[in-house]
Structure formats: C-alpha cells, structure tokens
Amino acid sequence: MKKMNLNLFISCIILSLFGLLMVYSSSNIWAEYKFNDPFKYIKNQGLFLIIGIISMYIVSKVNYRKYYKYSNKIFAICFTLIALVLIVGTERNGSKSWFGIGSFGIQPSEFMKLSMIIFTSKYLYNNRKDISNIRKGVIPILLLTIFIFGLIMLQPDFGTGVILVMGVIGLLFVGGVDLKFFFKIGLVGVLGIVGLIMAAPYRLKRILSFLNPWSDPLGSGFQIIQSLYAIGPGGLFGFGLGGSRQKHFYLPEPQTDFIFSIISEELGFMGVIIVSGLFCFIIYSAIKIALKCDDLFGKYLAFGIIFMLSFQAILNLCVVIGLIPVTGVTLPFLSYGGSSLLITLIEMGIILNISRYQK
Amino acid sequence: MKIILVIIFVIFIIIILRVFYIQVFDYKKLNNYASNLWSRNLPIKADRGLIYDRNGVVLADNATTTSLVVIPNQIKDKEKTADKLSEILNVSYDDIYKHISKKTSIERVHPEGRRLSYEIADKIRNLKLEGVYLVKESQRIYPYDTYMAHTLGFVGIDNQGLSGIELTYDNYLTGEDGAIKYFSDAKGNKLELNEVYEQPQNGMNITLTINNEIQTSLERELSNAVTKYNPDRAIGLVMDPNSGEILAISARPNFSPANYKNYSIEEINRNLPVWATYEPGSTFKIVTLSAALEENKVDLEKDIFYDKGSIKVENATIHCWKHGGHGKETFMQVVENSCNPGFVALGQRLGVNTLFDYIDKFGFGKKTGVDLNGEASGIIFDRSKVGPVELATTAFGQGVSVTPIQQVTAVSAAINGGTLYKPYIVKSINEPETNTVVKENKPTEIRKVINAETSAKVRNALENVVANGSGRPAYIDGYRVGGKTGTAQKVENGRYLTNNYILSFIGFLPADNPKVVVYVAIDNPKGTIQYGGTTVGPISKAVLKDCIKALNVPKSDGGKEKKYKWPDPKTITVPDVTGKTVEEAKKELIGLNVIVSGEGNTVTHQSPEAKTKLDEGKTIRLFTS
C-alpha cells in the first residue's frame, strides 16, 4: 500500500482541532447557562473528534473498492435508519432527525449522504454506457434521489436534503450527463419556484428578506442581523479569542450553524482567511486526488464526497454572511455536531485511501 | 471537474471579499448598531448651566443629589431587594417590587428613588445589592428664592425648563447627560468587559444684565409696598438707559420656584413688567413733551398757559386733576404740575400725525423685542379714528395701553440723548469649562427718536418735576434726580373703575447724565391717597438710593434745590464743626438735636458730615476726643 496524502490528513486534523477550539469558545456561555458546565459541548465534540480521527485513519487503510462491493448493503442500512428515525427518532428544534443515545444524538441523514454518494458512484460506474441516455441512465437514479430527499424532508431537514440532491447532481455532471439536461432541470426548478411564489406572494417577501434583514429584524432577519453584528464589529483584527459578545445569548446556538460568525468576531479577517484557506486546500487536494484516480468508481467517489462537502461549506458560509436566506446547514469540520464531524472525517478517510492508489 | 474546482474557488473568493466588505465598509454602521445592542447605560445627569447676575452672583444654582437606578435582570433575589429598599426608602414593598421586576433594561425608580439624601443613599450603597445603582443627579436651587421668579422661571423634576429664562434658554442650559456604559449579554447580565465612562457635558452658563444689589433693593421695596398698601399688583423695573440692559425686574404677586406647584398658572406665567398692559397716565406725558420740544412747538420757559381747571375739546370737557386749575403758568410749570389741559394744548400744537409718529418712534404699540417670553404689545389708537378728543387724551396718557417695559424703554430714549435701545436681559452665554462666549448680546440701537439737545431739555424739565413738582417725594439730597409720576384709572370692560388706580413713578439719575431709570407701579393700593407721587415716589426713591450705592454714582453739583413747600420740613445744611468746641458747635447747629459722645471738649468727628442736608429737628452726633 502506498503512502496516503499526508498534507490532506494533517489539514483535516488542524481544521477540526481549530473547530473544537471554536466550539468551546462559542458554546461555553450557553453550556454554562443550560447545563451548568461550560465544557459540556467541547467534551462531546472532543470525544467525537478522537473517534473521528481514529476512524479517518482506519478508513484510510480500508480499500475503497469494498464500498463498491457493499454499496447496496450500506444503502439499505442507511435507508432503514432514515425511515426508522421518522418513527422512533427524538425531536430537536422541531426536526425528528435524531436517534438519542444518552446525551448523544446520531443523525442518520448524515450517513445517508455518504451512502448516497457511494451508491451513485457505483451506479454511474456500472451504467457509464447508458449515461448519455437520459431516460435509461439518469431518470432512475434521479427518482431514487428525489425519494430519499422526500424522506429527509419528512423530518424535516431541508439543508441536508438539498446537499444530498446537489451531491448527486454534481456526480451526474461529472459522469457525463448532457449539459442541456441540467439546464432543463434548472428551468423546471425556476418555474417551480415562480409557481410557488405566484401561489403565495408572501414567499417572495420571505425570500427577499435576506437582502435587507432589517426589514424584519425580529423575524426572518433576526439570525442574519445577529450574525452581521458578530462579523462587522469584529473588524479586521477581531476581539481576540474568547472575546465574542454575540455569543452572550445574542446569537442563537452559536456553536452550530453560526460558528463562522463567532470565528470572524473573535479572530477577525485573519480567522476567515485561515478557515477559507484550509477549506480551499482540502478541496484542492481532494479534487486532485479524484483527477489522478484511474479507477472511475474511485474518481466518482472522491469527487462526490468533496463536492458535497464543498457545497455544504459554501451554503453555510453564504448564509452566515447574508448572501442567501437561512437554510440551517452546519459548517463541516467546525460546527458542533458529533455525527457530522464523524462522517466528515470518515469521508476524508475514504479520499485518503483513494490517494494511496495513485500513480 | 476542473471547472467545478474553479467555480468553488471563485465562490470562496466572493465569500472572503464579502466578509472583508462587512468588516471594513459596514464596520461603522454595524458596530454602532451592535454597540447599542450590547451596551447598557447607567445615566449620569449633566449639571444644568448656572445663571449669574452681571457681577457673578449666582441666581440659579445646582445641588448634587443621587437617585436610584435598578437593572431588573441583574437582580436575582427580587424579594430580598424589594424588602430592603422599601424599608430604607419608606415606601411600600409592592411599589419597589414593581420597579425591580419591570421588563426593561434599566429602570429609574421614579419618583420614590429620586433626589435621595446623603444618608439614605449611603445606606443603600452599604447594602451592595446586585443590580442596584446610585447615580448622580443634580437639582436646581434658587438661592434667592422668589427674586425675579417670573423672569428666571423654574424647572421640573427632570431639570427641564418650564418657564422664564429656564424655558427660553433651555437648549443652552441643558447639558448632555453622560453615562457609565457597560456591556451586557442578551439576558441583561453584566459582562466582564471594560466599562466606558462618558463624561456628562454640563449646560452652558448664562450671565444676565441684572445687578443683584439693585434687584435686592427692588424686591425689598416691593415687598414693603405690599405689606403697607396691599395692592392688587406691584411692578418694578430698573434699566440702564444707555444700553437697554435690564438691571432689576420684579413683580408682585410672585412665587417660590421650588414650590411652583402651589401657585396658579396665571401667577406663574405672567411676568408683569413685560406682560401687563394698562393706561400709563401722566408718565406718558414725557412722550408728548419730547415730541413738542423736538418739533419746536413750545418754549418751556417763555410760553405761557392758562389753566382754568378744564379744557373743552369738541363736545368734551377735560378736567385738570387739580380742582380749579393751576392758573397762569409757564409750560415748565405745566410739566412740573403735570397739568392735563396744558398737555392737551401741546398735543393740539403737534397734531395727530406728528404726535402719533413720535408714539410709534418711541416704540409703543408693538413689542420691544426684549428677550423675555410673554411680552405684550399694548394698544394705541388707530390713527384714522383719532379725533380731537382722542388726540387730547392721548397727549396726557389716557386711552392708550402700554407695558411697563415699553414705558421704561421709551423714557430711556427720551433722556439718554434720544436713542431708543432694544431692552435685553441676557448678557452672555458661556461654555462651562472654558468660559468661552457662545452668545453675547450687545446694546442694540433701534433708532434715533429725538436729538441730544431736546433730550437735555427733557431731562431738565423732569429734574424740575422732582425738585419743584409732583415728583418731590423722590428728591435725593446731593444727587440730581429726574422723574415723572403717573396716576392711571383702571379700565375694565371698557369703563373706568372708580377709586381703582395704578400709581406709578418713573425716575432717573443723575439728571444731567442718567445712569439708571427706575420704574415702580402699584396697582390699586389700599389706605392711601391714590396719587402717584406720594405713594410710589418714596418707593422709587429708596430704589434710586440703592442704585447710587450699587453703581457708585458720585454726588453731583449743580442740582436743583428742592422747593420748600408746606408741609415739607425745613432743611438745614450741616456746617463743618470739627475742631470747634462743643459750645461753639451747638450754637451753629441750632434747629438740630445735638448729641455729644465722648469726654473731651473739642469736636473731632461729626455725623452726618458737613454739607449734608438734614430736616429740622433731626439728630446730629458730635464725637469728642
């Protein structure tokens, strides 16, 4: 077995350690308030990080071809889990997307995202000749994706659902599906949105409210305003580690969706450059691995994983800085959330394993 | 795949630029908004600007007190806090509990916790209760209480000006409150971040043209007049005729600004010297006199008038105040005697247009523009409706309605050489720390009304009034005093009231070069002859005498001898008896009551000094070695 891409491995560890630090800094006030223990969140996250890093290392040793082999079984397990969570899951923040185990929670939809990428990669690999045929090659996998999306929307978890769909679409694009097809899908999407708005004009107002969050400062604009109140006053140099003001109950749950705001507030523009730089490096390395991979399945798998991860990161950042409406998506590596961190690191482990088979 | 990589990188660059934009270009806006969100203010009240007289005597001052402020979110044990505070403040538990459990970021305990005494504040401080703060507050105090209460005005509980100068100059007097800014979390708890102290900016100080020594004199004399005569109203106004500066202003009834709530709105709001309008009576003759002299319509010494006690104008007969009339008299005597038919004659010589031109030029019928609120403009006949009767009555001050400030301003012009000044009371407004002048009022010439020569003649005539005529009660030995009395019948519902007069006197000194004009009016005095000179003359004299002291007016020579008239006592000019023996001295002091102090035989000092005039029978003390 060849050596894995060590730079990528180290970057992932640095980024998640940085995330752990920021989880502590942004959550200690809330943790103290809610659980009388400022270390509550960092303890959970720390445990998952250790498990995650070990898992990443182990997974990097596991031949990725095994996923090709067990793809259907993995998919079946994940499918059962997301169906089951609708029945026996615990509700948190209005979403039934968790299996509660003690104080821990596991989000099966996170695993489903990976499972979907593995399944789609295998599907594209097996049907590479039919892929130019929309009806025969694209429609079946698309229908399956929409079905899974529907299941996730029952929880409901819009963010995860969108990421899952986008991951599949990204793979289809790379898999050689005709460009015109994407334009058609886009057109259908636009028409759908227009139809929804026509049916109920208040939706337009909602959607546009992110452009001027101050039009509804206590409603839909609230989180964006609180986020901007963190990023802006932090300025180029920030208030210093631990110096955030917005974490003092102003920004709701700052350790999850809006952790990037706290990073900007405390570390200023420097923090933003560090986070963005690490992300870009990880994405660049991963795509390079995908490009260099001779095995089409490995290529799809690496690309699918990193594309989905990039999309999630971009979605989160755009929400935080007020470029798009709030969707409720976490920032990979950094946001608090055991399942998310664990699965992200496992995914990186898969890419690292693929890197071992390069020429 | 490469395309997607490029797209991802481009999006990341957009994100970074957007963050840069927020942190650099939106920084100021967001930081302001956010600071307001995070910071809570413990207000520190600014001191209100002080009001001084022209010599730096403080007329409106501040006393520092403390008041109670609570931050409900920081108070964990509400029951205990309410219990302790209600005990110290001696108010009900429920009231305090309401304050400390209010859903607000910061609550001023009003009114129970305002203006606490030092002892109570100290007790609260010693409890060291969480979320309970004591902040500085200043309270307006008026060291001279009722002095010029209408003019200074007063302030409300929040130190906001409610009347008088306190109201009109509220913007200047009000400072900018400061604060102790501390950072708070969204639940209102104090964060361990640096507190910012924003210093309060005290209000600006105002210096008035008032001379507190003269003001004190005027207040004393008006109070005495009230005790003596129990009038409906009393008005006093002292002005520097050469600038229009108001040196003293007062009225009765007055009020105590600290307890303004105990008085009616009318009592508080009507600043009589500028608000009251009434028929001036004979003081208005100064206007007719000035006009006639300026127009060369009369030679006071040479022209003769025969007063047979009344004068017929058209179908009306106008009587002189003196039954049977003054007989044959020069126009100087017409002025001295305040002879109504004589002034009717002067009015007729001038004619409607000329007389009314002068009335306009002297500023009657419109506001003087003094920097005091509530000024009235008075009423003058519409020229087109002035017939011979109206002309006649106007000439001696009937049928017109004027304010005290108009009269004082006009008379100042008549005697200062002929220039009408705009009266004013605010001398300057200064920055409290640096004393830099923010605003300064200088004398404002409105117009030249008569020339200097005419003005000198008017002064001379009015000096005669005090030396020989109706103004004799205001005569002051060794000083040249000019003046004019006035007795005006009051009008109610278009009819003259009987036995209800406003008695007034307007006097000035020195008559050759006036430094001060004093106006006193007493409305409906009881138990006295309702005639200007005898009642108001002595009051004005007392104020004029205090003006001499306050303004250091030197004794002047060349004054007119006071004409002896029964029942005036004879006056004796005291000779210099120092160095003489007691026996010799006594011979020279016949007519006076001599008291000798000391053992020796030679007089070393005498009191009063030589050359002062004493009424017959008065006491002189001689001191021997």
Side-chain angles (χ1 to χ4, degrees):
Chain A
M1 209 157 39
K2 279 167 77 182
K3 269 189 177 175
M4 64 175 171
N5 186 330
L6 200 63
N7 286 337
L8 180 59
F9 181 72
I10 291 167
S11 303
C12 292
I13 291 175
I14 290 174
L15 192 56
S16 18
L17 279 174
F18 181 69
L20 187 68
L21 180 69
M22 291 318 295
V23 162
Y24 172 71
S25 185
S26 51
S27 73
N28 61 340
I29 304 294
W30 274 102
E32 166 97 67
Y33 174 69
K34 270 172 122 170
F35 305 106
N36 254 331
D37 176 11
F39 299 101
K40 171 82 180 168
Y41 290 104
I42 194 185
K43 278 195 234 161
N44 278 354
Q45 186 79 345
L47 187 64
F48 271 102
L49 180 59
I50 291 163
I51 297 170
I53 290 172
I54 294 167
S55 307
M56 176 164 69
Y57 185 72
I58 292 169
V59 169
S60 78
K61 300 243 176 207
V62 176
N63 189 339
Y64 70 89
R65 271 277 161 191
K66 287 212 170 83
Y67 308 120
Y68 182 85
K69 205 170 148 194
Y70 297 116
S71 161
N72 292 349
K73 276 176 191 157
I74 294 168
F75 189 81
I77 292 167
C78 288
F79 181 81
T80 316
L81 285 177
I82 63 164
L84 212 59
V85 82
L86 292 173
I87 305 157
V88 298
T90 21
E91 199 170 310
R92 282 190 200 174
N93 301 329
S95 286
K96 220 175 185 187
S97 36
W98 303 80
F99 286 124
I101 306 164
S103 64
F104 293 109
I106 285 187
Q107 247 183 315
S109 49
E110 288 288 336
F111 294 93
M112 189 66 213
K113 287 195 298 191
L114 177 57
S115 166
M116 196 71 213
I117 293 296
I118 295 169
F119 189 84
T120 311
S121 300
K122 184 185 167 188
Y123 177 85
L124 287 175
Y125 179 78
N126 289 345
N127 300 284
R128 57 187 178 277
K129 280 167 194 139
D130 297 328
I131 213 70
S132 48
N133 185 330
I134 299 293
R135 191 165 301 164
K136 237 176 137 187
V138 178
I139 295 295
I141 187 74
L142 218 52
L143 284 175
L144 180 69
T145 309
I146 289 166
F147 178 65
I148 299 296
F149 175 76
L151 271 182
I152 291 173
M153 282 308 284
L154 285 176
Q155 297 178 355
D157 187 351
F158 179 69
T160 307
V162 166
I163 291 162
L164 184 131
V165 172
M166 278 309 290
V168 172
I169 289 176
L171 269 177
L172 289 176
F173 176 72
V174 176
V177 175
D178 197 355
L179 264 177
K180 278 183 217 153
F181 175 70
F182 294 101
F183 286 127
K184 280 177 194 159
I185 289 185
L187 197 67
V188 169
V190 169
L191 283 175
I193 291 169
V194 170
L196 283 172
I197 290 169
M198 298 266 277
Y202 77 89
R203 289 204 178 99
L204 180 68
K205 218 170 148 191
R206 260 271 180 79
I207 291 167
L208 290 180
S209 85
F210 78 88
L211 292 174
N212 180 17
W214 278 271
S215 62
D216 185 12
L218 294 175
S220 53
F222 180 75
Q223 285 177 307
I224 293 297
I225 290 175
Q226 295 304 328
S227 176
L228 292 178
Y229 281 175
I231 299 169
L236 290 179
F237 308 104
F239 287 128
L241 195 64
S244 163
R245 278 137 204 209
Q246 284 296 86
K247 69 182 179 187
H248 291 274
F249 310 118
Y250 290 107
L251 194 59
E253 304 257 357
Q255 69 277 16
T256 57
D257 295 6
F258 287 92
I259 194 164
F260 188 72
S261 316
I262 303 294
I263 294 171
S264 311
E265 187 183 11
E266 296 196 340
L267 304 175
F269 196 60
M270 277 297 291
V272 174
I273 292 289
I274 289 169
V275 171
S276 311
L278 280 169
F279 263 114
C280 287
F281 181 75
I282 289 168
I283 293 164
Y284 172 74
S285 306
I287 288 187
K288 220 168 86 181
I289 289 165
L291 280 168
K292 283 188 176 170
C293 186
D294 288 335
D295 173 21
L296 212 50
F297 172 72
K299 199 190 236 344
Y300 291 155
L301 186 58
F303 176 79
I305 288 169
I306 202 65
F307 179 76
M308 199 153 79
L309 197 125
S310 313
F311 183 77
Q312 184 176 344
I314 285 169
L315 204 60
N316 173 276
L317 295 180
C318 289
V319 165
V320 166
I321 60 179
L323 285 178
I324 59 169
V326 176
T327 40
V329 169
T330 56
L331 187 58
F333 294 109
L334 295 158
S335 286
Y336 174 77
S339 321
S340 169
L341 181 64
L342 184 63
I343 208 73
T344 305
L345 290 173
I346 288 172
E347 286 169 352
M348 293 318 292
I350 294 171
I351 294 177
L352 285 170
N353 179 260
I354 296 168
S355 77
R356 292 183 195 267
Y357 300 96
Q358 285 172 358
K359 340 163 237 192
Chain B
M1 253 189 244
K2 280 177 186 162
I3 297 167
I4 288 177
L5 183 66
V6 170
I7 292 171
I8 290 171
F9 279 2
V10 167
I11 294 173
F12 264 100
I13 288 166
I14 291 171
I15 289 168
I16 290 171
L17 288 176
R18 166 77 177 160
V19 171
F20 186 79
Y21 181 85
I22 295 171
Q23 289 184 332
V24 175
F25 296 100
D26 279 348
Y27 175 78
K28 228 178 154 180
K29 184 182 95 182
L30 288 169
N31 199 37
N32 279 342
Y33 282 150
S35 288
N36 289 339
L37 180 71
W38 300 328
S39 65
R40 299 285 186 277
N41 290 348
L42 280 177
I44 307 168
K45 290 276 178 190
D47 278 345
R48 202 169 164 78
L50 302 182
I51 302 177
Y52 296 102
D53 91 331
R54 62 187 307 125
N55 296 320
V57 179
V58 179
L59 303 176
D61 205 348
N62 296 309
T64 302
T65 60
T66 45
S67 67
L68 188 62
V69 160
V70 293
I71 296 172
N73 279 319
Q74 295 177 10
I75 303 174
K76 300 267 150 55
D77 190 347
K78 299 228 190 312
E79 284 80 17
K80 186 188 136 203
T81 308
D83 199 44
K84 289 258 162 89
L85 287 179
S86 63
E87 194 188 308
I88 294 173
L89 294 173
N90 199 21
V91 291
S92 83
Y93 171 89
D94 291 340
D95 283 349
I96 295 294
Y97 191 82
K98 233 179 264 165
H99 282 298
I100 63 176
S101 48
K102 213 173 196 174
K103 280 212 165 19
T104 172
S105 62
I106 183 160
E107 165 82 348
R108 191 178 276 275
V109 183
H110 175 92
E112 304 92 339
R114 302 290 293 275
R115 296 179 179 166
L116 300 173
S117 72
Y118 182 77
E119 289 75 32
I120 287 180
D122 213 40
K123 270 189 203 165
I124 294 173
R125 199 172 288 123
N126 286 338
L127 286 176
K128 296 201 170 81
L129 292 166
E130 260 191 350
V132 172
Y133 299 86
L134 287 159
V135 294
K136 184 192 142 230
E137 192 171 28
S138 83
Q139 183 183 2
R140 196 58 144 179
I141 49 169
Y142 300 94
Y144 295 94
D145 193 24
T146 58
Y147 279 27
M148 53 190 298
H150 294 100
T151 301
L152 289 179
F154 56 88
V155 298
I157 181 91
D158 289 318
N159 257 353
Q160 75 281 29
L162 292 181
S163 85
I165 288 170
E166 295 277 25
L167 174 66
T168 35
Y169 289 89
D170 200 32
N171 286 344
Y172 290 100
L173 289 166
T174 306
E176 234 171 85
D177 290 348
I180 297 171
K181 274 196 168 172
Y182 67 90
F183 290 107
S184 142
D185 66 23
K187 298 186 187 302
N189 300 307
K190 200 166 159 182
L191 295 182
E192 297 301 319
L193 291 166
N194 284 342
E195 289 178 347
V196 182
Y197 176 70
E198 279 181 5
Q199 208 178 353
Q201 174 67 45
N202 291 344
M204 292 177 195
N205 296 332
I206 292 182
T207 300
L208 302 181
T209 58
I210 295 292
N211 182 319
N212 197 48
E213 228 178 308
I214 300 175
Q215 182 71 35
T216 305
S217 164
L218 186 65
E219 298 284 355
R220 184 194 66 228
E221 291 307 320
L222 289 188
S223 292
N224 285 346
V226 168
T227 315
K228 216 166 158 187
Y229 303 118
N230 188 30
D232 295 351
R233 299 182 290 183
I235 295 166
L237 189 56
V238 181
M239 190 182 278
D240 179 346
N242 303 308
S243 62
E245 289 178 340
I246 295 172
L247 299 175
I249 180 167
S250 189
R252 298 290 181 278
N254 59 356
F255 66 96
S256 169
N259 307 307
Y260 66 90
K261 284 177 183 153
N262 302 340
Y263 301 85
S264 73
I265 292 173
E266 288 78 18
E267 278 176 305
I268 287 173
N269 282 353
R270 293 177 178 172
N271 194 5
L272 298 179
V274 298
W275 181 85
T277 58
Y278 47 83
E279 239 181 35
S282 306
T283 49
F284 199 70
K285 288 171 182 165
I286 298 171
V287 174
T288 312
L289 172 68
S290 305
L293 286 171
E294 176 79 3
E295 295 292 318
N296 286 318
K297 298 289 186 199
V298 67
D299 184 324
L300 292 178
E301 305 291 347
K302 288 179 186 151
D303 290 3
I304 303 293
F305 180 76
Y306 189 83
D307 172 25
K308 56 185 200 294
S310 64
I311 187 167
K312 244 186 119 106
V313 180
E314 255 188 351
N315 298 322
T317 308
I318 292 164
H319 290 278
C320 188
W321 60 270
K322 190 178 178 185
H323 223 68
H326 291 94
K328 185 183 165 191
E329 53 187 350
T330 63
F331 269 93
M332 184 60 90
Q333 284 167 317
V334 165
V335 177
E336 286 170 13
N337 296 329
S338 197
C339 174
N340 290 349
F343 273 93
V344 171
L346 288 181
Q348 285 165 345
R349 289 188 191 185
L350 286 162
V352 174
N353 272 330
T354 317
L355 179 61
F356 277 72
D357 277 349
Y358 278 93
I359 291 172
D360 287 349
K361 280 201 252 174
F362 272 113
F364 292 101
K366 52 182 175 289
K367 292 179 183 179
T368 59
V370 67
D371 47 353
L372 285 170
N373 55 348
E375 196 190 0
S377 48
I379 304 163
I380 301 296
F381 280 124
D382 186 345
R383 248 182 242 213
S384 61
K385 289 171 187 151
V386 175
V389 180
E390 287 77 14
L391 172 65
T393 60
T394 302
F396 60 86
Q398 266 186 20
V400 292
S401 169
V402 304
T403 62
I405 189 108
Q406 282 173 341
Q407 293 191 64
V408 175
T409 312
V411 170
S412 293
I415 61 163
N416 70 7
T419 309
L420 186 74
Y421 286 96
K422 182 165 137 180
Y424 65 100
I425 191 160
V426 171
K427 206 170 165 61
S428 65
I429 300 176
N430 299 63
E431 201 75 64
E433 271 91 33
T434 56
N435 223 31
T436 322
V437 176
V438 177
K439 190 182 161 177
E440 193 173 17
N441 284 334
K442 289 259 162 49
T444 317
E445 287 187 29
I446 294 177
R447 66 181 79 87
K448 192 88 179 160
V449 183
I450 54 175
N451 66 42
E453 253 171 69
T454 311
S455 179
K457 284 182 193 164
V458 174
R459 287 199 298 268
N460 180 49
L462 294 177
E463 193 180 0
N464 280 334
V465 171
V466 172
N468 308 325
S470 51
R472 284 159 61 252
Y475 187 85
I476 302 173
D477 256 331
Y479 292 92
R480 301 180 60 173
V481 180
K484 184 79 198 78
T485 56
T487 307
Q489 250 179 305
K490 277 161 75 181
V491 181
E492 206 174 89
N493 301 325
R495 287 197 179 167
Y496 282 108
L497 301 173
T498 48
N499 282 324
N500 195 339
Y501 298 89
I502 295 176
L503 310 184
S504 61
F505 182 83
I506 190 157
F508 58 91
L509 95 177
D512 51 335
N513 178 23
K515 294 275 181 264
V516 62
V517 177
V518 173
Y519 175 82
V520 176
I522 306 285
D523 181 355
N524 192 19
K526 320 292 189 303
T528 179
I529 320 160
Q530 298 230 336
Y531 169 68
T534 47
T535 309
V536 192
I539 300 172
S540 309
K541 178 179 174 175
V543 177
L544 280 165
K545 271 175 133 174
D546 286 323
C547 290
I548 291 170
K549 247 188 291 162
L551 302 175
N552 275 323
V553 179
K555 279 197 169 190
S556 40
D557 300 321
K560 298 177 193 296
E561 280 291 320
K562 190 179 182 185
K563 207 177 184 182
Y564 174 75
K565 265 195 189 176
W566 190 89
D568 281 2
K570 214 169 183 171
T571 57
I572 294 166
T573 306
V574 177
D576 187 0
V577 294
T578 51
K580 293 180 176 163
T581 64
V582 175
E583 288 306 309
E584 282 174 308
K586 277 186 176 172
K587 269 181 205 165
E588 293 196 6
L589 298 171
I590 283 170
L592 292 172
N593 176 26
V594 181
I595 296 177
V596 182
S597 312
E599 303 290 313
N601 199 26
T602 314
V603 177
T604 50
H605 293 288
Q606 65 180 76
S607 169
E609 282 174 19
K611 286 184 184 161
T612 44
K613 287 171 181 153
L614 278 185
D615 289 343
E616 210 173 26
K618 286 285 163 80
T619 301
I620 179 163
R621 285 175 184 277
L622 301 180
F623 302 92
T624 61
S625 54

